[in-house]
Amino acid sequence: MTDIDYMRKALALAKKGVGWVSPNPMVGAVIVKDDRIIGMGFHQRSGMPHAEREALLNCMESPQGATLYVTLEPCCHYGKTPPCTDAIIESGIRKVVIGSPDSNPVVAGKGVKTLRHHGIEVTEGILLEECRKLNQVFFHFMEKQTPYVVMKYAMTMDGKIATYSGKSKWITGESSRLQVQKDRHRYSGIMVGVNTILADNPMLTCRLNGCKSPSRIICDTRLRTPLTAHAVQTASQYKTILATCCTDASKIKPYEEAGCQVLTVSQKEGRVDLKELMIQLGKRNVDSILLEGGSTLNWSALTNGIVNKVQVYTAPKLFGGIDAKSPIGGTGVESPDHAFALSPPRITVLGDDILFESEVL
């Protein structure tokens, strides 16, 4: 097997930590000796041992003289766990093969430098793009200190997210809905506008067994969310954040008593200032958001420049109707030259539906 083969195994291991390690990166590690894998591990949850230490712990024999394959540069600082570089040096491993450098400023190149200083051979950049893509959220959060925002919506082939009467269940099939639940587990927050709460009264939780639910974030400029809403009534079970411009303590108090966190945000053009909200959420370690809002919030998110990725679930159906809602509201752009540019889409077939995923350029 080659370096690429072993790194692919490490990547497969890393993916097992999806949804659990936030705001840490997903990392996998494989230890090879005499062309045999003698130890494997991955970062399972935030606060638990990192992948390198897990792999060393799982070794079937001494790692003395072995090669370690790891998807991300080993840490060299004390955080919730001790430095992985210390464990590697003490183990007697002679070579470390790394997929991607770590953009965390307390690591960034220092891990590699530490290993080489102790005589350990280091090879970098094996499957670099795949390793970086795996931790797209982590790298964004490290560099921007704001959440990575994925704007998601389901629509018909004529671009409608609801009928003229406002009905939208269900546009897509079971395979698409299952993928959405997986993403609710994957990302640390889910955000909607108050109109979605008023219209649908959703729970906004992950309904998959053995998975976690994201923090629920409701953009509610004037604090109109009913105290009887599911999101408020279950705030003691699932973290619920109300982002509002309301400063009336008497109006805020009942929500806090119900278990909600209320964030007071500045107003911009009559609505919650989304850029300021992203900064506040970043300070609370919300590293990623699945935006499941309606057309009004989608337009506001785009025009405020907070959207990083767009997910469009498209069903083979036609609703028609001038009054049937489109995914993005607002005034729209004046000419095609002013369109929001997206990267060429990644296309996934989910049952009868098609998922298009593009980065915002």
Side-chain angles (χ1 to χ4, degrees):
M1 292 178 67
T2 66
D3 284 352
I4 289 177
D5 295 324
Y6 290 125
M7 190 60 74
R8 288 201 190 284
K9 283 188 173 292
L11 274 167
L13 286 166
K15 292 174 184 176
K16 292 184 177 182
V18 65
W20 295 114
V21 299
S22 173
N24 291 348
M26 290 176 275
V27 184
V30 174
I31 299 174
V32 177
K33 188 173 183 179
D34 300 326
D35 296 322
R36 294 175 296 110
I37 295 175
I38 63 169
M40 297 189 294
F42 67 97
H43 186 34
Q44 298 183 31
R45 298 204 183 200
S46 177
M48 292 182 66
H50 291 180
E52 300 93 324
R53 288 182 176 271
E54 279 287 310
L56 287 167
L57 184 65
N58 295 331
C59 271
M60 298 178 290
E61 60 185 82
S62 170
Q64 184 79 33
T67 298
L68 167 68
Y69 293 84
V70 62
T71 55
L72 186 71
E73 179 182 3
C75 66
C76 54
H77 67 291
Y78 281 89
K80 292 181 180 179
T81 59
C84 288
T85 50
D86 287 359
I88 295 169
I89 292 164
E90 292 164 6
S91 73
I93 282 175
R94 68 171 181 82
K95 182 179 179 180
V96 176
V97 180
I98 297 170
S100 169
D102 192 338
S103 58
N104 185 340
V106 298
V107 181
K110 300 181 183 71
V112 169
K113 185 177 180 180
T114 299
L115 295 173
R116 285 175 172 156
H117 178 74
H118 285 83
I120 296 174
E121 182 184 348
V122 178
T123 298
E124 301 178 75
I126 302 300
L127 294 183
L128 173 62
E129 291 306 314
E130 290 181 44
C131 290
R132 278 197 61 83
K133 186 174 181 180
L134 174 70
N135 283 307
Q136 192 174 35
V137 167
F138 170 75
F139 291 125
H140 173 89
F141 190 59
M142 278 292 108
E143 293 160 13
K144 307 292 186 182
Q145 296 297 299
T146 56
Y148 183 87
V149 178
V150 179
M151 186 174 77
K152 163 260 167 184
Y153 54 84
M155 70 177 192
T156 59
M157 285 182 68
D158 58 341
K160 304 298 183 181
I161 61 172
T163 65
Y164 74 87
S165 65
K167 295 179 180 179
S168 60
K169 291 187 178 180
W170 294 101
I171 290 176
T172 52
E174 290 185 7
S175 295
S176 292
R177 298 201 292 272
L178 175 61
Q179 183 59 47
V180 171
Q181 294 303 313
K182 289 179 180 178
D183 279 343
R184 287 187 177 187
H185 167 73
R186 178 187 186 94
Y187 299 113
S188 61
I190 181 170
M191 189 164 81
V192 299
V194 66
N195 287 334
T196 295
I197 299 295
L198 294 172
D200 302 329
N201 193 18
M203 278 289 289
L204 302 174
T205 55
C206 177
R207 296 189 287 273
L208 299 179
N209 291 330
C211 292
K212 67 167 183 58
S213 288
S215 297
R216 302 176 297 190
I217 304 153
I218 303 169
C219 294
D220 186 355
T221 306
R222 295 182 294 279
L223 216 51
R224 294 185 293 139
T225 299
L227 290 169
T228 55
H230 292 322
V232 176
Q233 291 293 306
T234 57
S236 60
Q237 299 171 253
Y238 306 103
K239 187 175 180 181
T240 304
I241 299 171
L242 292 175
T244 183
C245 302
C246 176
T247 58
D248 185 339
S250 64
K251 287 190 69 174
I252 292 172
K253 186 178 179 181
Y255 295 101
E256 293 181 330
E257 289 177 342
C260 298
Q261 295 182 23
V262 180
L263 294 185
T264 303
V265 184
S266 300
Q267 191 170 143
K268 182 180 180 181
E269 297 177 354
R271 302 183 186 279
V272 165
D273 186 330
L274 292 178
K275 284 190 175 180
E276 181 184 321
L277 176 58
M278 293 304 106
I279 293 170
Q280 289 205 40
L281 292 173
K283 290 177 179 178
R284 287 164 175 76
N285 272 340
V286 177
D287 68 352
S288 53
I289 291 173
L290 187 62
L291 179 60
E292 291 196 14
S295 61
T296 299
L297 184 57
N298 285 346
W299 173 252
S300 184
L302 281 169
T303 55
N304 277 276
I306 69 165
V307 180
N308 303 106
K309 185 177 184 178
V310 179
Q311 288 183 334
V312 183
Y313 292 84
T314 306
K317 299 176 181 178
L318 302 172
F319 282 173
I322 294 174
D323 295 327
K325 287 188 176 181
S326 298
I328 301 167
T331 56
V333 299
E334 183 180 359
S335 72
D337 292 341
H338 299 152
F340 294 93
L342 305 177
S343 67
R346 174 189 170 200
I347 299 173
T348 306
V349 177
L350 296 166
D352 293 334
D353 306 325
I354 297 177
L355 170 61
F356 296 88
E357 297 179 279
S358 289
E359 304 295 320
V360 177
L361 301 178

